[in-house]
Amino acid sequence: MEKRDFEIKQGIKAHFIKTDLFKTNMISCIITVPLTRENVTKNALIVSMLRRGTANFKTQLDLSKELENLYGAAFECGIDKYGDNQILRFYMDSIHDKFALNNEEILKSTMNILLDIVCNPLLENGTFKEEYLKLEKENLAKIIKSKIDDKDLYAYETCISKMYGDTGFGLYKYGYLEDLDNITVANLTEYYNNLIQNSKIDLFISGDFEEENLKNSILNNENIQKLRPRIENYILNNEFTESKDIPENQNEVIEQMDVTQGKLVIGMDVGAKCDKLQFKTLLYNIILGSGANSLLFQNVREKESLAYSIKSVYVKQKGNIFIRAGIEIPNFEKAVELIKAQLEIMKKGEFSDEDFAAAKEYVKSGIVAIETEQDTGIVYYIGQEISKTNTSIEEYLTNIEEITREDIIEIANSVKINTIYFLKN
Amino acid sequence: MQTIENSQIQEKIYTQKLSNGIKLIIIPKKTQKKYIIWGIKYGSIDHRFKVNEKEIQVPDGIAHYMEHKLFEQENGTNSLDVLSSLGVNANAYTTNNHTAYLFEDNNNKFFEALDEFMNYVQNPYFTVENVEKERGIIEQEIMMYDDYPDWKVYMNAIKAMYHNNPINIDVAGTKETIAEITKDKLYETYHAFYTPDNMAIVVCGDFEPEQVIQEIEKRMTLKNTNQTVKRLYEEEPEQIVKKREEAKMNISMPLFMIGYKDEITCENQIKKDLALDILFNILIGDSSELYQSLYEEGLLQSEPTFIYENSKTYSHILIQGQSEKYDQVIQKIETGIETLKKNGIQDDVFDRIKKKLYGEYVKSYNDVGAVATSFIQNYFREINPLDYFEEFKNLDKSYTMQILNDVFKPEKQVVSIVKSK
């Protein structure tokens, strides 16, 4: 795998990830903006509006038919939260040209369609269509309300919002119901025009293609030519929101809903936040709660049979670790106690050498996946781009290799519980 | 060793019958990821059987319980931990018709991991204590599923279709049935079904076929027994149980599922898979007028999903979606089906959807894990995925229309709804 970047214009980059491991080419076009209470709902709505049609493919039906003719090229779009930034993501996945039955240029066509969706929306008298906006507002409202459907996810999101409140990372990526009323075709179109001309835009293309050809076809694309250069720093969120300082005796939040199984989330702050420490925290998190060898899995699930699912997740952009478990409701206190005991084991360095070695192997295995899974590769490089780091896979491996037991103990002692959230019936 | 080459998608597949009779399928791929899956034709529906004339009924959920317990080793270790400490991702799953054990290696530890892997699948170690310990974990797993509306809507559709076929029981069983599982019952079931003639192994990754065969043979100890095992299935009437089943859960938008109970036939499954896939796309897929109009009216926010499940004892299709006005959507889908029966399929639509399916077929060879899993699943459905392209080329409109008329019969239709509380 080789990766090369080129600047299409200031603030707009293409990232070529060349690999011959797949039968597909994958394109991801992302727009990155700061996550703010003011714009979060609008951004989510923009994604829904753009997929409704372009100046060239006026309806979703036209788009779907065109993609089916390109051997079922799959188009998807969505909204992601990445630390204090929000990502508008547009994505296309199609089979390699060599598998075409009639020599079609599939990659070139899907690239053009994707750019048309992002940059050339269907407008009527200069604005988005009234009728589309009405429906997409209703649809977004349904998505926002559906937050409660997946109880695990609901518990996780709620814990985050308890920790961060209504700013940056604490916001819900799909936005808020009360914001929808004030959005009109006029102000949303204005917002979009501003967004498309001023935001950081990145194109990631993974697959087996001729670089110069693709570069030329991007540079010659009409939609790309219409875009102005922009100052990249303007758009990324340089503000780093901090989690709330919550006193230890007030950090428990219990909510009731109709659930069979209780959902427990423990949000924790990791004291250290610089680059080198992220690798260490990553490894700390594996030993604590990722995979079958982790302390949480072994002691909470295997030894005490308290949970079927238990894991910890590291959000490196924010320096948080979240422990997530599905437990029987009366076992709440017992489970929290047992989890706290695992944190103590980490602090005292009482994890075994085998656990330490196994965690390194686990991370290494994940690093290999960056090259062997096409979407994992793109997601990795998106992360690198947004966090303005440029860690190659080799460097990543070396950084992990160099970590010592003492490093992990140091991290363990900087970890502090911020919020304990429990959803029960 | 048999070799089959598909030049269209540029893949070569090797198959070999091992000395004890297990079927081994090798799909070489140049990538650092290596994958192995060992499938056993034993699932939740096999809960009644005869071993040499002795009839045995096992508690519901035993296949799944076995899957959990097989990792336990006599020396006190758990194979899942041993494999994880090598950095390989090991896992297992149980369905209604098979159980599978698998691992994925990214660290060049494949053959090291293979030692542990083949050892634990072939050497069960069940004790009163280790069987007891698992009960709490599985109870939690069952409860987790109880909170999934998707699972509820599916099980209710199945229960509305089947009177007696054990597909109508939960794969994991219930808190009550798993209470009856003992170490002796686990051993009895293991010895009845974990035999070479019930098994297949698929490997996918950067392998020399000859070498893999040797390495697997070397570690193989399992032999066929001389006991005869016969699976017993209750007679299943052709009719459905009930037309409609409703449940309530704490969700923001109701879920609906339409099921059609199908006749069990011995016809070409690949051809039928393809025809059903085409029909579903034409009826309510992304590019259908029906889906687009339901979307515009705000009745659907995303396209329904489609499932075709079949074996020698059951066969049905399911369409699942989410809508506040589910009855309106169901009614429009029914009308769509009848209109399609009457008007037939347009040529351009048929060809376009075929192009889409071809693309999806090529894509399905992208990931070693997905390739291996689909080969094992198809093996137990007695399908050879390599026949796919040939069948694809020959698939025509008249056969597709015949399937439409055979499968989508109003009297065989059930509806399952999970409403919001």
Side-chain angles (χ1 to χ4, degrees), chain A residues 20-24 26 48 51-52 59-61 64-66 68-74 93-96 98-102 104 131-132 135-136 138-139 142 145-152 257-263 291-293 297-298 301-303 305-309 326-329 331 354 357-358 360-362 364-366 368-369 371-374, chain B residues 7-11 29-33 64 68 72 78 80-89 104-107 109 132-141 143-149 175 248-253 281 285-289 291-292 295-301 322 324 351-353 355-360 362-363 365-367 389 392 421:
Chain A
D20 58 3
L21 290 180
F22 310 102
K23 294 193 179 328
T24 44
M26 216 176 251
S48 319
R51 70 188 171 99
R52 290 304 301 271
T59 64
Q60 285 194 118
L61 199 59
S64 298
K65 286 180 180 169
E66 185 66 18
E68 282 176 355
N69 272 321
L70 291 163
Y71 301 95
D93 170 25
S94 58
I95 59 171
H96 192 279
K98 69 183 171 200
F99 297 113
L101 299 169
N102 309 306
E104 292 97 331
E131 151 201 13
Y132 285 5
L135 182 62
E136 293 309 329
E138 285 167 19
N139 287 347
K142 285 173 190 161
K145 286 182 199 155
S146 73
K147 196 172 154 184
I148 61 155
D149 290 358
D150 184 333
K151 304 295 183 288
D152 298 323
M257 207 183 268
D258 182 21
V259 287
T260 319
Q261 189 186 51
K263 317 290 174 193
N293 287 92
F297 191 88
Q298 285 299 328
R301 174 179 148 136
E302 293 294 308
K303 286 215 181 84
S305 304
L306 276 178
Y308 168 71
S309 69
I327 57 172
E328 213 165 332
I329 292 155
N331 286 336
E354 289 78 23
K360 281 192 174 180
E361 290 297 328
Y362 185 96
K364 277 196 253 166
S365 166
V368 173
E371 296 199 312
T372 56
E373 294 165 9
Q374 207 163 15
Chain B
S7 56
Q8 185 61 43
I9 57 159
Q10 302 171 7
E11 295 288 348
K29 263 186 173 296
K30 290 262 174 264
T31 165
Q32 206 182 325
K33 190 182 275 194
H64 172 257
H68 272 239
E72 211 83 45
N78 183 302
L80 193 62
D81 306 345
V82 177
L83 290 167
S84 297
S85 60
L86 290 171
V88 306
N89 303 319
E104 176 191 289
D105 159 57
N106 289 323
N107 294 0
K109 296 259 172 70
E132 192 49 49
K133 195 200 76 185
E134 204 69 19
R135 235 179 286 277
I137 298 173
I138 295 179
E139 276 172 17
Q140 286 306 315
E141 188 178 358
M143 283 165 85
M144 183 180 82
Y145 275 95
D146 284 345
D147 283 338
Y148 289 157
K175 205 172 165 171
K248 278 188 179 171
M249 284 178 95
N250 206 337
I251 48 172
S252 65
M253 206 195 292
N281 270 286
D286 231 4
S287 65
S288 67
E289 305 274 348
Y291 171 66
Q292 292 300 335
Y295 185 92
E296 304 274 343
E297 288 169 57
L299 294 176
L300 284 178
Q301 277 71 57
Q322 200 167 16
E324 258 144 28
D351 293 340
R352 197 181 67 232
I353 303 292
K355 259 181 125 176
K356 175 184 175 184
L357 295 195
Y358 165 73
E360 285 173 358
V362 174
K363 279 185 199 173
Y365 277 84
N366 238 353
D367 175 68
F389 194 60
F392 172 83
K421 259 188 186 160

Side-chain angles (χ1 to χ4, degrees), chain B residues 33-52:
Chain B
K33 190 182 275 194
K34 295 185 177 73
Y35 202 95
I36 181 164
I37 183 163
W38 188 331
I40 295 97
K41 194 180 167 193
Y42 182 65
S44 59
I45 62 165
D46 307 301
H47 67 159
R48 218 159 62 83
F49 46 90
K50 260 185 178 173
V51 177
N52 301 332

Side-chain angles (χ1 to χ4, degrees), chain A residues 260-318:
Chain A
T260 319
Q261 189 186 51
K263 317 290 174 193
L264 172 66
V265 183
I266 301 180
M268 309 192 292
D269 295 315
V270 185
K273 282 182 179 102
C274 82
D275 275 347
K276 277 273 178 200
L277 289 167
Q278 288 189 347
F279 296 107
K280 295 174 188 169
T281 313
L282 179 80
L283 197 63
Y284 164 86
N285 178 56
I286 307 277
I287 302 170
L288 174 69
S290 281
N293 287 92
S294 67
L295 290 177
L296 291 176
F297 191 88
Q298 285 299 328
N299 296 327
V300 183
R301 174 179 148 136
E302 293 294 308
K303 286 215 181 84
E304 297 290 329
S305 304
L306 276 178
Y308 168 71
S309 69
I310 179 150
K311 64 181 172 196
S312 62
V313 196
Y314 173 40
V315 179
K316 77 164 192 223
Q317 304 85 29
K318 299 304 301 173

